[in-house]
Amino acid sequence: MKKLLVGILALFSLSLAFAQTRGGTLTVAIQTEPTAWDPTQTPGADIARVVYDNVLQGLVKRDAKGQIVPALAERWVVSSSGLTYTFTLRKGVKFHDGSAFDASDVVAKFNRAKNPDQKASGHARPDFYKDIVSISAKDANTAVFQLRQPNNDFLFTLSLPESLITPKEAKLEDMKTKPIGTGPFKFAAWERGVAVRLERNPDYYVQGQPYLDKVNFRFLGDGDAQLAALRAGDIDVVAYSLLPENAVVLQKDANFKVFSGPSTAEAVASMNNSRAPFNDIRVRKAIEFAVNKDDLIQGAMLGYGTKIGSMRSPGEACYEDLSNYYKYDPEQAKKLLADAGFTAQNPLKFTFNIAAEFPYERRIGEAMAAQLNKLGVIQATIQVIDFGTWIQKVFLGADYQMTIIGHVEANDTGSYANPKYYWRYDSKKAQDLYTQYLRASTPAKACDALKAMQRQITEDAVSVWTMSLPALGAYRQSVQNWPGSSLTPGISVAEVWKKQ
């Protein structure tokens, strides 16, 4: 009987292997076209969506459930002091240019990452790596990190797009246009204005993967154009940001599958805490009371979205539910504005910057501005700008009053501990709580500190956290094993296949 059971299981496994058709091309629509393709040099969610774990890999990665799992490191050991991390690397791994991956690439990568001189290193966010004292190669397959103090987010930091690894001899300028990694796909071509094309890596270290021969990521931001292309068969997948009304249409068509999964994306209406009028906490709290988040979710998003009240999504660890901290109360909003000197005769006037390319944030922002203007004491003027301008003007220059954007990265509550971040919030209380979280001796104590930080930034009304956005998309029925959530930075397609 035991031999029979083993035989049945073997046949079942074999049938599954044959069921996964190999070959073919998958075309995926994404929202925007980045200006470069190396996330270690250039910020941008769509860069990571394409290259993270498809082309470029790090020591660890986040899987479809948002858990940190091995990537180029097979395993790791943390010392009892929390100061030494020893990573055992996979053997026999090659970069797409044929060069061997080993510990010297890790050393070169993170010495560059922690260099505070960004002009010299070309690396984004050296502040992420400031706790690293040294990186050394014990041997070709062992990399050792020494930290100056315990950091509960260190493995998470290593799972970021900024921590992806390229060959130590690679030229940084080349990586912007044709990155070289170790992933299941090679970066084949960038057809500017049209698509990025990936091709199967025949030397990938996971046996049998990937299933597809080619993957095209097509730049198609208009929601109606996405729907038309999907119906026509020009694309196979709308990966995210499917318009809610188009989701309703596609749900009625048996040729397509609509998915709405969990994500780490928060639609954040940010107020510049260092600039009038939002350097006055009474004004910020008035904005909080004047926004009806339930109406935004139902009206702008047709019910797709989850109300939140701080910088964290419900699917993330240490989430504190503050969604009803500021209940919709227009009269309280008017009272706070009157206390700050604003009335119908002397209304609060400000500019609300919105990036044109992002449909969810644009419609949420427009609906939110309408709510605020309806109060009769506020005159919010919408200014739509392209995303490149938004990056330079708002994100890098903090030259704005109010804006809205989707923050898709997980575990980004700590950005409120950075006074130089674009909302320009400088709170010692919040900074101390974040430090407590990083240095806590147990997971429970770390969570307590992070929850307290969430309460602090909500009490200070730093931003309006309107909702956690869904991972809303659709694909043709021929597409199999599509990841239906957005808990990892990349759109991982190594295990996706198509029925022929």
Side-chain angles (χ1 to χ4, degrees):
M1 182 65 183
K2 186 175 180 181
K3 289 182 179 180
L4 178 61
L5 180 60
V6 170
I8 291 172
L9 289 173
L11 285 172
F12 179 68
S13 299
L14 189 61
S15 69
L16 282 179
F18 280 111
Q20 293 165 333
T21 307
R22 297 192 179 279
T25 299
L26 184 77
T27 301
V28 182
I30 62 173
Q31 201 71 40
T32 64
E33 179 178 16
T35 57
W37 293 101
D38 181 1
T40 76
Q41 300 185 66
T42 309
D46 273 337
I47 302 173
R49 286 186 175 111
V50 172
V51 304
Y52 186 97
D53 203 38
N54 289 324
V55 177
L56 303 176
Q57 297 180 310
L59 292 173
V60 297
K61 66 180 181 180
R62 272 171 276 153
D63 64 12
K65 296 180 180 179
Q67 301 298 311
I68 294 174
V69 297
L72 291 175
E74 288 184 321
R75 59 187 180 275
W76 55 89
V77 175
V78 184
S79 67
S80 58
S81 66
L83 298 178
T84 305
Y85 286 69
T86 303
F87 292 87
T88 300
L89 310 181
R90 293 182 187 271
K91 296 180 180 179
V93 176
K94 292 182 179 180
F95 286 105
H96 299 151
D97 64 355
S99 61
F101 163 76
D102 62 28
S104 64
D105 296 292
V106 179
V107 173
K109 153 70 193 184
F110 289 99
N111 275 331
R112 173 179 159 242
K114 74 185 184 72
N115 184 352
D117 185 352
Q118 286 182 267
K119 288 185 178 180
S121 72
H123 203 287
R125 303 306 300 270
D127 53 303
F128 288 165
Y129 309 95
K130 61 185 179 182
D131 279 341
I132 299 175
V133 174
S134 65
I135 315 101
S136 60
K138 184 177 179 181
D139 53 48
N141 300 304
T142 310
V144 181
F145 289 74
Q146 197 70 36
L147 305 187
R148 59 173 42 87
Q149 55 193 340
N151 185 330
N152 287 315
D153 264 355
F154 184 61
L155 285 175
F156 179 82
T157 297
L158 296 185
S159 77
L160 291 171
E162 290 84 353
S163 295
L164 299 174
I165 298 171
T166 54
K168 58 181 176 293
E169 301 296 339
K171 295 180 180 179
L172 294 182
E173 199 61 31
D174 292 344
M175 296 303 95
K176 290 180 179 180
T177 55
K178 196 172 183 180
I180 297 170
T182 55
F185 293 94
K186 296 181 178 182
F187 194 101
W190 177 12
E191 189 178 348
R192 293 177 188 264
V194 180
V196 154
R197 310 195 188 284
L198 309 184
E199 294 180 355
R200 187 177 189 271
N201 175 15
D203 298 319
Y204 188 48
Y205 55 81
V206 177
Q207 188 174 4
Q209 290 185 17
Y211 301 125
L212 296 161
D213 286 336
K214 299 179 181 180
V215 181
N216 300 325
F217 286 92
R218 183 174 164 188
F219 316 128
L220 197 60
D222 181 79
D224 292 331
Q226 290 176 351
L227 178 63
L230 189 64
R231 283 176 150 175
D234 295 334
I235 62 173
D236 300 296
V237 185
V238 178
Y240 61 95
S241 294
L242 178 68
L243 295 181
E245 58 270 26
N246 290 345
V248 173
V249 170
L250 291 170
Q251 282 173 334
K252 300 174 182 177
D253 191 329
N255 293 308
F256 306 99
K257 172 70 175 176
V258 174
F259 60 91
S260 178
S263 83
T264 60
E266 299 93 9
V268 182
S270 304
M271 296 172 276
N272 190 332
N273 283 223
S274 69
R275 178 179 294 187
F278 299 115
N279 56 354
D280 187 332
I281 192 171
R282 295 170 298 181
V283 175
R284 298 200 302 271
K285 288 193 173 186
I287 298 293
E288 301 275 6
F289 282 117
V291 174
N292 188 328
K293 296 178 183 178
D294 293 314
D295 278 3
L296 291 180
I297 292 170
Q298 294 303 320
M301 295 296 293
L302 302 185
Y304 289 105
T306 304
K307 185 166 67 171
I308 56 174
S310 197
M311 190 63 164
R312 214 158 184 86
S313 290
E316 297 185 78
C318 307
Y319 170 73
E320 178 85 341
D321 186 358
L322 297 163
S323 57
N324 290 313
Y325 191 92
Y326 294 102
K327 293 183 179 179
Y328 178 56
D329 190 341
E331 294 307 313
Q332 178 65 12
K334 289 179 182 178
K335 182 179 182 303
L336 284 163
L337 287 173
D339 289 345
F342 297 103
T343 63
Q345 292 73 37
N346 180 38
L348 171 66
K349 298 179 181 180
F350 60 87
T351 301
F352 195 165
N353 291 121
I354 299 177
E357 291 88 339
F358 303 104
Y360 290 178
E361 292 83 347
R362 184 166 180 174
R363 59 175 53 191
I364 294 167
E366 289 172 349
M368 181 177 161
Q371 286 184 357
L372 295 174
N373 289 338
K374 188 178 178 181
L375 200 66
V377 191
I378 295 175
Q379 293 179 10
T381 301
I382 291 175
Q383 184 181 66
V384 179
I385 56 179
D386 66 86
F387 185 53
T389 301
W390 187 93
I391 287 287
Q392 294 299 319
K393 176 184 174 70
V394 178
F395 185 74
L396 297 176
D399 182 14
Y400 77 104
Q401 291 177 298
M402 179 179 278
T403 189
I404 187 167
I405 204 77
H407 283 260
V408 301
E409 185 55 77
N411 194 32
D412 50 2
T413 314
S415 57
Y416 286 86
N418 179 1
K420 295 183 179 179
Y421 205 65
Y422 77 95
W423 31 68
R424 293 296 195 262
Y425 169 64
D426 190 356
S427 165
K428 189 175 185 304
K429 286 183 181 178
Q431 293 159 18
D432 288 348
L433 287 167
Y434 187 60
T435 299
Q436 289 176 34
Y437 159 71
L438 292 176
R439 316 301 174 214
S441 58
T442 67
K445 289 180 179 179
C447 258
D448 286 345
L450 195 58
K451 287 181 177 182
M453 183 183 176
Q454 292 169 65
R455 292 192 295 272
Q456 184 64 52
I457 62 176
T458 299
E459 182 181 326
D460 288 343
V462 184
S463 307
V464 181
W465 302 275
T466 62
M467 66 188 76
S468 177
L469 295 167
L472 183 60
Y475 51 84
R476 304 183 68 81
Q477 288 288 7
S478 59
V479 177
Q480 304 295 305
N481 205 32
W482 182 260
S485 65
S486 186
L487 299 176
T488 180
I491 302 171
S492 181
V493 289
E495 297 181 54
V496 176
W497 53 284
K498 289 178 70 176
K499 288 182 179 178
Q500 302 296 327

